[in-house]
């Protein structure tokens, strides 16, 4: 019997308990032994819960129990979660987590301890929820070089943008729905300002470079300025708007990483990844392009990924299966020095100035409201933003083109 502990009995924690219970037979067959949840650590009590008798409040009980070989850290945050993870790994216990903030910030440190102690720090659920993208890069693509990743990595914002596009829905109302459905972070700012997707692309950039890409080196722009007027222009051009996270490794080993709303053709591989679904496009030197999609948030999809990590640990005792990355800082490129094409929505009265500023721009069919929309050819981002600033209040919004 393999005895495990779950740290945090919230949405994901209760999901892990449910996956292990519902798939108990299958897990036993595959792991060769029963997976048994011995402890659930939480500050709260859960009177009447079927697992009430396994709820404990003292982490020391788990740490000092030699029977516990695997922990699921699904409590979130970077305070107690950091301490518990470090202590568990130092004790040779494997840790499986959905905590992207912690992985993005301290992954290199934990991976080094896991390697030294011949156990595992696993984080499949931290990126793209239920989509097995970490395992794919770590194992399935182990013989290839992943040069770039572009993904829709946040379910909440994809849910919001899809509803805005398809139903002309109100931003605040859709955000509330996403929170009720358990998709959104406790602080929705992390979702809507792109920070959550930023942490996830930082983790993927870590994996692609084998070095540390600090999450605060990822340029992030959120979706709060996107309006139904932007969607009208996108629709007229056969396009849609998605919050994309992009990471690219260059020949010299430097890396760019960013999160921002992009206008992209609906027939783009990520163009019809809708609702809470996530999509990840990887470009490899041998395989070429490959697409992965699935549920990027929510209780059971996320718990399924955590439980898969538990299975990996159970099936490889005494072996470290993650390649991971070192604590050496990666050479992160300043995205303002990279080139992009842009969509601009502007006041109709500014047409002449826009034509002068953006040589070679093309105007889109008018969508009313004394406004116009145009596509601006590729230029260095810093130059583009300088021109927008010089145009003053003529420019109402601008969105990168994929
Ligand atoms: N808030 C996150 C999202 C949860 O919406 O994608 C999964 O990481």
């Amino acid at each position: 019997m393999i005895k495990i502990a779950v740290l945090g009995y919230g949405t994901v924690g209760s999901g892990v308990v449910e996956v292990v219970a519902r798939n108990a037979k299958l897990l036993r067959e595959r792991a060769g032994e029963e997976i048994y949840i011995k402890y659930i650590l939480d500050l709260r009590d859960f009177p009447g819960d079927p697992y009430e008798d396994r709820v404990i409040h003292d982490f020391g009980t788990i740490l000092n129990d030699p029977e516990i070989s695997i922990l699921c850290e699904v409590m979130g945050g970077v305070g107690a979660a950091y301490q518990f993870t470090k202590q568990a790994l130092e004790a040779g216990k494997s840790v499986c987590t959905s905590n992207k903030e912690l992985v993005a910030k301290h992954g290199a440190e934990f991976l080094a301890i896991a390697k030294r102690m011949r156990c595992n720090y696993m984080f499949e659920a931290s990126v793209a929820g239920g989509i097995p993208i970490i395992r794919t890069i770590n194992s399935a693509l182990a013989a290839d070089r992943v040069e770039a990743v572009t993904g829709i990595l946040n379910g909440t914002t994809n849910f919001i943008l899809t509803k805005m596009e398809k139903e002309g829905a109100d931003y605040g109302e859709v955000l509330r729905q996403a929170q009720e459905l358990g998709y959104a972070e406790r602080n929705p700012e992390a979702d809507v300002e792109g920070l959550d997707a930023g942490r996830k692309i930082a983790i993927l950039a870590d994996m692609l470079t084998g070095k540390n890409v600090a999450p605060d080196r990822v340029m992030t722009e959120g979706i709060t300025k996107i309006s139904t007027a932007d969607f009208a222009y996108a629709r007229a051009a056969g396009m849609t708007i998605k919050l994309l996270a992009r990471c690219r490794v260059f020949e010299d080993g430097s890396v760019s990483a960013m999160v921002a709303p992009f206008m992209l053709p609906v027939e783009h591989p990520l163009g019809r990844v809708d609702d809470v679904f996530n999509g990840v496009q990887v470009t490899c030197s041998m395989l070429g392009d490959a697409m992965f999609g699935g549920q990027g948030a929510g209780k059971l999809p996320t718990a399924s990924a955590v439980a898969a990590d538990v299975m990996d640990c159970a099936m490889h005792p005494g072996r470290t299966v993650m390649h991971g990355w070192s604590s050496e800082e990666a050479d992160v490129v300043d995205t303002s020095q990279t080139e992009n094409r842009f969509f601009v929505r502007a006041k109709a009265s500014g047409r002449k100035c826009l034509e002068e500023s953006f040589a070679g721009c093309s105007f889109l069919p008018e969508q009313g409201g004394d406004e116009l929309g145009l596509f601006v050819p590729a230029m260095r981002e810093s130059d583009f933003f300088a021109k927008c600033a010089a145009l003053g209040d003529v420019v109402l919004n601008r969105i990168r083109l994929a």
Side-chain angles (χ1 to χ4, degrees):
M1 188 184 284
I2 295 168
K3 296 189 177 168
I4 72 170
V6 175
L7 314 186
Y9 203 25
T11 304
V12 183
S14 58
V16 171
V17 172
E18 186 174 336
V19 170
V20 171
R22 278 170 60 180
N23 288 348
K25 186 166 171 289
L26 188 140
L27 265 54
R28 186 173 56 244
E29 284 164 8
R30 292 183 181 164
E33 288 179 72
E34 183 186 344
I35 306 286
Y36 179 81
I37 297 173
K38 186 170 179 181
Y39 303 115
I40 298 169
L41 182 79
D42 204 287
L43 291 171
R44 302 161 291 179
D45 286 311
F46 294 87
D49 186 279
Y51 290 82
E52 180 185 1
D53 58 333
R54 308 198 202 167
V55 174
I56 60 165
H57 308 300
D58 175 21
F59 178 69
T61 308
I62 296 168
L63 189 64
N64 298 319
D65 186 339
E67 283 192 342
I68 296 292
S69 56
I70 305 167
L71 282 69
C72 301
E73 185 276 291
V74 286
M75 52 196 282
V78 291
Y82 171 81
Q83 295 301 339
F84 295 169
T85 299
K86 190 168 175 172
Q87 289 174 48
L89 292 169
E90 289 286 6
K93 299 177 193 290
S94 290
V95 177
C96 308
T97 188
S98 58
N99 186 341
K100 52 247 157 185
E101 194 179 357
L102 194 61
V103 180
K105 209 165 171 190
H106 298 289
E109 181 186 1
F110 293 151
L111 286 159
I113 303 173
K115 196 170 175 189
R116 174 162 50 79
M117 297 307 296
R118 290 175 174 273
C119 57
N120 281 288
Y121 184 55
M122 309 286 286
F123 45 89
E124 183 63 73
S126 68
V127 180
I131 306 173
I133 191 65
I134 300 291
R135 190 163 278 100
T136 296
I137 295 174
N138 188 66
S139 316
L141 297 173
D144 212 329
R145 202 172 86 83
V146 184
E147 295 166 339
V149 176
T150 305
I152 294 172
L153 298 181
N154 184 268
T156 302
T157 45
N158 207 36
F159 183 80
I160 294 171
L161 290 174
T162 305
K163 292 254 178 197
M164 285 176 75
E165 179 191 21
K166 294 199 188 309
E167 299 170 16
D170 170 67
Y171 172 83
E173 171 56 25
V174 189
L175 175 60
R176 259 193 306 283
Q177 276 181 41
Q179 285 173 313
E180 276 162 25
L181 289 164
Y183 303 148
E185 298 298 305
R186 259 171 297 181
N187 170 9
E189 202 185 323
D191 291 303
V192 299
E193 296 296 353
L195 307 178
D196 176 76
R199 288 169 190 143
K200 292 167 179 169
I201 200 71
I203 294 169
L204 294 177
D206 291 331
M207 294 194 69
L208 263 52
T209 58
K211 294 181 183 170
N212 192 51
V213 177
D216 60 8
R217 301 295 311 277
V218 178
M219 194 291 284
T220 50
E221 190 182 301
I223 63 161
T224 53
K225 294 197 182 89
I226 305 296
S227 71
T228 46
D230 297 316
F231 273 112
Y233 284 102
R235 198 172 300 116
M239 300 177 94
T240 185
I241 302 166
K242 296 288 182 192
L243 183 70
L244 297 186
R246 299 209 305 194
C247 155
R248 189 165 160 214
V249 185
F250 300 98
E251 288 287 324
D252 64 0
S254 63
V255 62
S256 72
M258 71 183 294
V259 175
F262 277 80
M263 208 178 261
L264 64 166
V266 282
E267 65 270 15
H268 185 286
L270 294 166
R272 277 289 61 103
V273 174
D274 285 335
D275 301 312
V276 75
F277 282 83
N278 280 194
V280 190
Q281 182 180 34
V282 298
T283 304
C284 309
S285 55
M286 299 294 143
L287 168 69
D289 286 338
M291 262 295 289
F292 303 86
Q295 300 259 20
K299 176 175 165 170
L300 290 179
T302 311
S304 165
V306 177
D309 281 347
V310 171
M311 290 296 283
D312 227 343
C313 297
M315 291 189 284
H316 301 99
R319 227 185 93 203
T320 304
V321 296
M322 289 299 300
H323 302 143
W325 57 93
S326 75
S327 54
E328 185 188 340
E329 294 300 327
D331 176 8
V332 182
V333 170
D334 175 0
T335 52
S336 73
Q337 299 309 307
T338 61
E339 284 200 349
N340 263 312
R341 294 178 303 137
F342 284 85
F343 159 77
V344 173
R345 183 165 57 83
K347 288 182 181 163
S349 57
R351 189 181 185 106
K352 204 163 170 295
C353 310
L354 289 157
E355 277 172 334
E356 281 166 15
S357 294
F358 300 121
C361 68
S362 52
F363 288 88
L364 297 170
E366 281 177 23
Q367 301 298 315
D370 283 337
E371 294 182 3
L372 49 77
L374 60 147
F375 287 155
V376 174
M379 67 169 66
R380 193 191 292 248
E381 289 210 351
S382 55
D383 295 340
F384 172 79
F385 289 120
K387 284 175 188 281
C388 286
L391 284 160
D393 63 0
V394 165
V395 173
L396 300 169
N397 200 7
R398 79 288 176 293
I399 302 171
R400 291 170 181 81
L401 292 171

